[in-house]
Amino acid sequence: MIKSSDRINLSANSLFMLRLLSYAFNSLLRRWRKQVALVIIFALVVAFYASVVFFTTSLKYETRTVLQDVPELWVQKLAGGRLVPMPVSFVDSLKNIRGVSKIVPRVWGYNYDSPTGAVFTIIGSDSLTNGLDMVQTTHQGPLKPNMALCGTGFLELRKINIGDQLTIYDDQGEVQSFKVVGAFKSSSDLLTRDLVILPYQAAQKILGLQPNEVTDVSLRISNENEIENIGRKLDLRFSGIRVVTKDQLSATYEALFSWRGGIFIYGTILAIFAFLILAWERASGLSAEDRKELGVLKAVGWQISDVLWMKFWEGVIISITATLSGMILAYVHVFFLQAPLLRPFLIGWSELYPSYNLFPIFDLSSFLAIISLSVIPYLTATLVPAWRGAITDPAEVMQG
């Protein structure tokens, strides 16, 4: 049970802290021009760092979302460390693998589009790929030999519409013509922006594959807990193949975005440290007004701890204000304006950029990372010089 004397002491301490906070706030207001300039610079630095954190966090979530419908395993044939075409007969060797519910030979690859300088993805399929929907189509049912489905980005780059003719150079340099019968929409444009789906045999010809060759084979696994075990079995049973799991693909994308985002984060951290050095020098070099104020406070009976608490509250007010302002700016930049300053660098360097909406994702670790790199270092950079000034004799401080 709390004694009445303890309650009085607790109430007195709380009142004293509130008075210190009020004094710190009024002290900042007396030099409001300098404080506003400091907060603006600090907020801009935090905004850039927070923009990178928000962008990469949302992008990783978006990637995990769009990869939910992909197969659990892929089997690819390698020669000299390179991906090479796989004979379609290899599918028969996989039919006896226990736990595999579906085997799909896939034809896909990349094609350089000389008119635009873009590299786009070709998939061979006589029907629409699972997980994708059409925003508009003029054809129902399986694709005919002269038909194509295209991503909106590719159509925009080529400046063609649904119903127009699409010409593509095949592996031998000959022109192949297709009629665009549909354009994609998807939960994320990451999948379809640069995608062109052609009939199976037409895609084989464009990519230089023989009729009995495929790019790789996808496997659907009945039990998700057996994915890794089945992958190891395939590695042991067959030589010259590479087994890729969905988790590995997701981890690769996340590592890629983390690496690109890390470049900007490191640069921002350097900017934060440079700002903190300036804040340290500013706090260390007390102005005549600051020295006079400090001398008066100590002369009227303020203790070293009182001065430190006052400086602490000043640092809290400035750092929290700048951090919250920077996070608000970063939120608007990333989720309202779709990160125009970061998107070209973090998405890729290509003629065909993915276009999609970034959705706000709250990540406690990201929030704490922003706080730890802005508030805590700034408080350190202001309290240490304040302590040096607080232990100085009042008469010496007043004399300058």
Side-chain angles (χ1 to χ4, degrees):
M1 184 175 181
I2 300 177
K3 298 179 180 180
S4 58
S5 59
D6 294 334
R7 289 197 187 98
I8 294 174
N9 291 333
L10 182 61
S11 177
N13 290 334
S14 300
L15 182 61
F16 180 68
M17 283 297 170
L18 289 175
R19 288 177 177 175
L20 281 177
L21 177 60
S22 176
Y23 182 87
F25 183 75
N26 291 325
S27 177
L28 293 176
L29 288 180
R30 287 196 298 270
R31 301 182 296 275
W32 67 270
R33 290 184 177 85
K34 293 182 180 179
Q35 310 308 329
V36 168
L38 180 64
V39 168
I40 290 175
I41 297 174
F42 198 179
L44 290 176
V45 174
V46 173
F48 188 82
Y49 172 71
S51 292
V52 177
V53 173
F54 290 162
F55 189 91
T56 53
T57 301
S58 181
L59 202 57
K60 290 177 183 179
Y61 175 82
E62 191 76 12
T63 302
R64 288 192 293 268
T65 300
V66 299
L67 292 179
Q68 289 179 351
D69 295 324
V70 302
E72 288 77 18
L73 284 177
W74 294 271
V75 179
Q76 301 174 333
K77 184 176 178 60
L78 299 179
R82 289 177 171 269
L83 179 66
V84 296
M86 176 182 292
V88 71
S89 59
F90 183 76
V91 173
D92 297 330
S93 305
L94 302 175
K95 291 182 177 179
N96 296 326
I97 303 296
R98 183 176 299 178
V100 178
S101 60
K102 186 177 182 180
I103 303 173
V104 179
R106 305 194 311 168
V107 171
W108 65 273
Y110 303 104
N111 186 278
Y112 175 72
D113 188 42
S114 55
T116 61
V119 176
F120 61 95
T121 304
I122 292 178
I123 292 181
S125 178
D126 293 328
S127 59
L128 185 63
T129 305
N130 291 335
L132 302 179
D133 297 318
M134 306 304 299
V135 65
Q136 184 179 353
T137 182
T138 59
H139 175 76
Q140 301 293 333
L143 293 179
K144 295 181 179 179
N146 64 335
M147 293 182 176
L149 305 174
C150 299
T152 55
F154 182 78
L155 295 179
E156 293 170 3
L157 198 63
R158 276 292 196 94
K159 297 181 180 180
I160 57 178
N161 299 308
I162 296 175
D164 294 343
Q165 291 295 121
L166 168 66
T167 57
I168 302 176
Y169 287 95
D170 63 16
D171 186 60
Q172 303 299 320
E174 299 179 358
V175 177
Q176 304 294 327
S177 181
F178 303 91
K179 182 180 180 180
V180 179
V181 296
F184 298 110
K185 67 176 180 180
S186 175
S187 58
S188 174
D189 208 21
L190 276 173
L191 289 176
T192 61
R193 184 72 173 173
D194 65 342
L195 180 62
V196 175
I197 292 183
L198 301 176
Y200 194 85
Q201 294 182 351
Q204 285 180 314
K205 186 174 182 180
I206 294 291
L207 298 173
L209 299 175
Q210 299 299 319
N212 63 340
E213 290 181 335
V214 296
T215 306
D216 59 17
V217 177
S218 67
L219 286 73
R220 287 286 185 180
I221 309 301
S222 304
N223 186 355
E224 291 186 356
N225 296 325
E226 293 295 321
I227 294 176
E228 295 294 335
N229 291 333
I230 294 175
R232 284 193 292 268
K233 289 180 182 179
L234 294 173
D235 276 328
L236 294 174
R237 181 174 297 188
F238 303 101
S239 61
I241 67 167
R242 176 174 61 188
V243 180
V244 181
T245 67
K246 180 167 67 173
D247 290 341
Q248 290 173 342
L249 181 64
S250 178
T252 300
Y253 274 108
E254 290 196 17
L256 176 63
F257 296 139
S258 297
W259 173 76
R260 290 183 176 177
I263 295 176
F264 288 89
I265 288 177
Y266 291 145
T268 310
I269 290 175
L270 292 176
I272 290 176
F273 281 130
F275 173 79
L276 293 175
I277 290 173
L278 292 176
W280 181 290
E281 292 180 352
R282 175 181 173 275
S284 299
L286 296 175
S287 65
E289 184 181 354
D290 293 330
R291 289 195 299 269
K292 182 179 179 180
E293 180 184 12
L294 187 58
V296 170
L297 292 176
K298 295 195 68 178
V300 298
W302 278 46
Q303 303 297 319
I304 295 177
S305 60
D306 300 334
V307 175
L308 291 179
W309 273 114
M310 187 265 291
K311 290 297 182 181
F312 170 80
W313 287 121
E314 285 187 357
V316 167
I317 293 171
I318 291 177
S319 58
I320 292 296
T321 302
T323 300
L324 292 179
S325 300
M327 293 177 70
I328 292 173
L329 288 174
Y331 190 94
V332 173
H333 173 237
V334 174
F335 300 120
F336 283 89
L337 303 180
Q338 296 298 301
L341 300 179
L342 295 177
R343 182 186 291 264
F345 301 99
L346 295 181
I347 293 298
W349 296 271
S350 174
E351 295 291 334
L352 271 174
Y353 289 111
S355 176
Y356 53 91
N357 293 323
L358 294 168
F359 297 99
I361 303 298
F362 178 78
D363 186 358
L364 181 60
S365 60
S366 300
F367 179 79
L368 294 177
I370 297 172
I371 295 295
S372 62
L373 280 174
S374 56
V375 176
I376 297 176
Y378 182 81
L379 290 177
T380 304
T382 55
L383 284 178
V384 174
W387 174 78
R388 291 178 178 176
I391 61 176
T392 307
D393 184 73
E396 181 180 346
V397 174
M398 293 292 289
Q399 291 174 3

